[in-house]
């Protein structure tokens, strides 16, 4: 761009002093050289100097040069536009990736159906507490059952006392039977009926004794079973209580860990969002800066318009001059401009400004050559 | 359903920058390279926002606004002028034509979205 500007400035300076010279009577040697080289090394070609006196050939010869310069401007604007377009596309991509990153972290904190980790942890808490409450209820039920069994054992103990009373009655019945038979024997034939009663009383005592023994045996078995069930239940209650306590402690630790992990991820999400926001702001500033291209292109358009107006104004000179002489001077300008060009695309533009340029005008972009 | 925006500018890069900004805010964007091109692209469509440049070849921004305001779909559509032009006389011309707002380039994406949030409901 700066090279182009210097070429353009040189050309204008070449034109403007020419008319000044005519009125002021300056000599060629007094003309400003106008070679703002910006530190670049140029070839030995010298800028074509204007003739001592006003010469239409000189003016006509600058017309193709102005045309070249206009085309240079158009190409520059086009290159600039293309570059800014690519940078802008890059920024668009960066912004989209930043947005996706935040979305990915956010998805990491949510299940597929949109349930957040917060909700899941809270749900686990709820379920675990329900489970522990059920275990506790089960333990309490076992305790109550154990209490009932103890009550049954007490009932069995009272049954045992009642059996002892029955056995005492049996004993008395046997004694009554025995005494009855003795009294029946002493009474002789008058005591036969009394003897029958005595025998029946004795038999009743024997039957009662057998029944009592059977009941005691069954009560003993029942007592043994109840004691076993009670012992099992109490052991179960102790194990359940211990399991519930350790499970509760472990689940609490795990849920705390899960909570900390979740907090860490939430924190990361907030940081990612913050970074993304900063990135968006920086991209915004860059996008704002990139719009210099729009302003530059507008100015270039205005300069091209002015150059075209100059060309139109100067075009009568080309009709009033000898084509051969004009072409020779155009050649001088072209050689000079070409010698100042540093890029292949510039040189091709100058060389082929009035014919079609070969394909791949910017083919030297990004090329590498090792020596 | 995504809101629809029409972006009109003869500069491809400007169009793209405005389009990216609007897309990041959830808009679907239709692009036009000048007023006439834009009119052809939005014919019969429901558009929620128009952002247009002023100086364009074929049909400029002011003429575009006048033409859009004649269409029933665009009677109340917010139309923002985004241009390097900042002359009061031009702004007045835009306002008379039916522009909702006037932003001078270069635009800041956040600022543009802030303005859009105020005018698009």
């Amino acid at each position: 761009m700066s090279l182009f500007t210097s070429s353009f400035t040189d050309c204008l300076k070449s034109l403007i002093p020419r008319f000044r010279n005519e009125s002021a009577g300056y000599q060629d040697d007094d003309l400003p050289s106008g070679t703002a080289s910006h530190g670049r090394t140029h070839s030995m070609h010298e800028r074509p100097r204007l003739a001592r006196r006003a010469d239409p050939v000189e003016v006509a010869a600058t017309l193709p040069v102005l045309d070249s310069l206009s085309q240079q401007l158009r190409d520059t604007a086009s290159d600039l536009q293309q570059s800014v377009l690519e940078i802008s596309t890059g920024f668009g991509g960066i912004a989209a990736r930043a947005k996706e990153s935040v979305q990915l972290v956010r998805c990491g904190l949510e299940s597929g159906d949109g349930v957040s980790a917060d909700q899941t942890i809270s749900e686990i808490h709820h379920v675990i507490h329900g489970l522990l409450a059920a275990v506790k209820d089960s333990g309490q039920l076992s305790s109550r059952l154990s209490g009932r069994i103890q009550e049954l054992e007490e009932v069995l103990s009272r049954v045992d006392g009642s059996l002892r009373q029955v056995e005492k009655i049996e004993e008395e019945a046997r004694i009554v039977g025995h005494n009855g038979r003795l009294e029946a024997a002493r009474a002789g034939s008058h005591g036969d009926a009394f003897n029958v009663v005595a025998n029946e009383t004795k038999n009743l005592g024997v039957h009662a004794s057998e029944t009592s023994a059977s009941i005691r045996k069954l009560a003993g078995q029942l007592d043994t079973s109840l004691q076993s069930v009670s012992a099992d239940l109490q052991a179960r209650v102790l194990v359940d209580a211990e399991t519930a306590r350790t499970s509760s402690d472990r689940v609490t630790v795990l849920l705390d860990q899960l909570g900390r992990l979740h907090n860490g991820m939430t924190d990361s999400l907030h940081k990612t969002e913050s970074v993304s926001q900063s990135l968006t702001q920086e991209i915004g500033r860059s996008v704002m800066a990139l719009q210099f291209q729009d302003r530059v292109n507008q100015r270039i358009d205005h300069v091209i318009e002015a150059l075209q107006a100059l060309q139109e104004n100067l075009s009568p000179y080309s009709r009033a001059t000898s084509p051969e002489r004009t072409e020779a001077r155009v050649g001088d300008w072209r050689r000079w401009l070409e010698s100042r060009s540093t890029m292949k695309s510039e040189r091709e533009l100058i060389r082929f400004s009035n014919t079609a340029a070969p394909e791949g005008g910017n083919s030297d972009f990004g090329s590498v050559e090792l020596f | 359903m995504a809101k629809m925006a029409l972006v009109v500018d003869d500069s491809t890069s400007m169009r793209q920058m405005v389009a990216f900004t609007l897309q990041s805010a959830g808009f679907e964007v239709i692009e036009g390279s000048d007023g006439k091109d834009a009119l052809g692209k939005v014919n019969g469509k429901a558009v929620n926002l128009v952002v247009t440049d002023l100086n364009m070849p074929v049909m400029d921004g002011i003429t575009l606004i006048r033409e859009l305001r004649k269409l029933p779909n665009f009677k109340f559509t917010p139309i923002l002028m985004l241009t390097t032009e900042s002359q009061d006389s031009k702004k007045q011309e835009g306002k008379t034509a039916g522009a909702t707002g006037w932003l001078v380039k270069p635009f800041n994406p956040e600022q543009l979205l802030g303005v859009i949030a105020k005018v698009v409901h």
Side-chain angles (χ1 to χ4, degrees):
Chain A
M1 187 68 191
S2 59
L3 177 63
F4 160 75
T5 310
S6 67
S7 302
F8 176 64
T9 312
D10 290 348
C11 290
L12 286 182
K13 281 181 179 173
S14 304
L15 285 171
I16 295 163
R18 182 192 181 285
F19 296 107
R20 276 202 201 134
N21 290 348
E22 277 192 337
S23 57
Y26 290 157
Q27 297 299 305
D28 279 351
D29 294 344
D30 299 326
L31 290 171
S33 63
T35 51
S37 66
H38 299 283
R40 289 193 181 89
T41 306
H42 299 300
S43 75
M44 298 303 287
H45 288 282
E46 285 188 9
R47 176 169 60 83
R49 298 283 173 161
L50 294 175
R52 201 172 283 270
R53 297 182 62 78
D55 183 354
V57 171
E58 296 298 334
V59 179
T62 59
L63 293 178
V65 177
L66 289 177
D67 202 37
S68 276
L69 296 178
S70 295
Q71 193 52 47
Q72 280 244 46
L73 281 170
R74 283 189 204 97
D75 286 359
T76 304
S78 172
D79 284 353
L80 197 59
Q81 163 104 341
Q82 191 54 38
S83 300
V84 167
L85 209 57
E86 282 171 21
I87 295 168
S88 160
T89 304
F91 279 139
I94 291 168
R97 297 295 91 74
K99 208 172 174 180
E100 278 173 22
S101 302
V102 172
Q103 200 56 39
L104 282 173
V105 177
R106 190 170 285 141
C107 283
L109 290 171
E110 287 180 358
S111 64
D113 51 5
V115 178
S116 71
D118 261 342
Q119 286 171 302
T120 307
I121 290 172
S122 167
E123 188 74 11
I124 292 171
H125 265 295
H126 185 69
V127 169
I128 293 294
H129 285 151
L131 201 61
L132 290 174
V135 170
K136 200 176 168 185
D137 285 351
S138 172
Q140 285 171 346
L141 180 66
S142 298
S143 289
R144 283 200 298 278
L145 283 174
S146 181
R148 291 280 168 83
I149 289 169
Q150 279 177 352
E151 285 170 17
L152 286 174
E153 281 174 350
E154 282 171 20
V155 170
L156 279 177
S157 156
R158 286 202 294 277
V159 167
D160 187 54
S162 299
L163 283 175
R164 273 196 208 99
Q165 289 292 322
V166 169
E167 281 165 0
K168 200 175 170 184
I169 292 166
E170 292 162 16
E171 186 61 31
E172 284 172 359
R174 271 201 304 273
I175 291 167
V176 168
H178 182 69
N179 289 340
R181 276 194 300 169
L182 285 176
E183 290 301 322
R186 207 181 308 168
S189 58
H190 296 290
D192 285 346
F194 197 62
N195 191 34
V196 171
V197 173
N199 277 334
E200 286 304 316
T201 304
K202 187 188 170 189
N203 287 340
L204 181 67
V206 171
H207 283 309
S209 177
E210 284 170 1
T211 305
S212 169
S214 177
I215 290 171
R216 185 177 292 283
K217 190 181 172 188
L218 286 173
Q221 285 173 348
L222 189 59
D223 186 44
T224 306
S225 295
L226 285 174
Q227 279 182 13
S228 171
V229 169
S230 175
D232 284 352
L233 270 175
Q234 286 195 357
R236 188 74 251 163
V237 167
L238 288 174
V239 169
D240 284 352
E242 181 59 17
T243 305
R245 193 185 59 74
T246 53
S247 298
S248 172
D249 290 349
R250 185 66 188 143
V251 166
T252 304
V253 168
L254 289 174
L255 284 175
D256 283 350
Q257 282 178 357
L258 196 59
R260 281 196 296 277
L261 273 173
H262 172 63
N263 289 342
M265 284 183 77
T266 306
D267 193 40
S268 295
L269 172 64
H270 291 150
K271 282 177 183 163
T272 308
E273 278 176 332
S274 171
V275 167
S276 173
Q277 205 169 10
S278 302
L279 195 62
T280 304
Q281 284 169 353
E282 281 159 23
I283 288 173
R285 279 197 290 276
S286 305
V287 164
M288 201 166 170
L290 275 179
Q291 292 166 60
F292 81 95
Q293 175 260 332
D294 186 54
R295 298 193 300 279
V296 168
N297 275 16
Q298 284 188 35
R299 289 180 180 186
I300 288 177
D301 283 345
H302 299 153
V303 173
I304 291 171
E305 273 179 46
L307 283 174
Q308 284 172 341
L310 271 175
Q311 273 183 290
E312 279 175 28
N313 284 351
L314 298 176
S315 60
Y317 283 90
S318 64
R319 290 192 290 273
T321 57
S322 146
E324 293 76 19
R325 283 186 61 202
T326 305
E327 193 50 47
R329 291 301 282 158
V330 169
D332 290 343
W333 275 107
R334 284 225 173 100
R335 279 187 291 281
W336 177 70
L337 284 174
E338 202 178 328
S339 71
R340 293 171 54 80
S341 303
T342 55
M343 286 178 283
K344 185 182 173 188
S345 55
E346 270 187 295
R347 286 190 292 276
E348 284 182 348
L349 176 73
I350 293 159
R351 205 177 302 146
F352 300 101
S353 61
N354 56 352
T355 57
E359 287 297 315
N362 289 334
S363 57
D364 53 346
F365 279 16
S367 65
V368 177
E369 193 175 353
L370 297 175
F371 300 108
Chain B
M1 191 176 160
K3 286 192 163 69
M4 188 77 78
L6 169 66
V7 177
V8 194
D9 201 307
D10 56 327
S11 160
T12 316
S13 56
M14 278 304 300
R15 263 200 328 268
Q16 192 185 64
M17 283 187 249
V18 176
F20 278 154
T21 303
L22 296 183
Q23 281 160 353
S24 76
F27 281 91
E28 268 182 37
V29 176
I30 303 169
E31 294 184 30
S33 58
D34 60 65
K36 192 177 173 191
D37 182 42
L39 279 173
K41 285 181 176 168
V42 297
N43 191 22
K45 286 184 181 157
V47 171
N48 305 90
L49 170 75
V50 178
V51 180
T52 178
D53 188 16
L54 173 63
N55 297 311
M56 293 180 288
V58 188
M59 184 189 285
D60 66 20
I62 300 280
T63 313
L64 171 65
I65 294 175
R66 286 198 193 104
E67 292 301 317
L68 285 175
R69 288 299 185 211
K70 288 178 191 168
L71 302 172
N73 277 357
F74 286 85
K75 211 168 180 182
F76 303 108
T77 307
I79 303 180
L80 297 175
M81 191 67 92
L82 181 61
T83 170
T84 49
E85 192 73 71
S86 58
Q87 281 181 42
D88 286 340
S89 58
K90 286 284 180 187
K91 285 184 186 175
Q92 190 54 48
E93 202 182 336
K95 191 179 171 185
T96 309
T100 313
W102 191 283
L103 287 87
V104 177
K105 291 176 186 174
F107 77 90
N108 177 309
E110 280 188 83
Q111 181 203 33
L112 177 63
L113 292 179
V115 172
I116 288 168
K118 284 180 186 168
V119 297
V120 176
H121 304 293

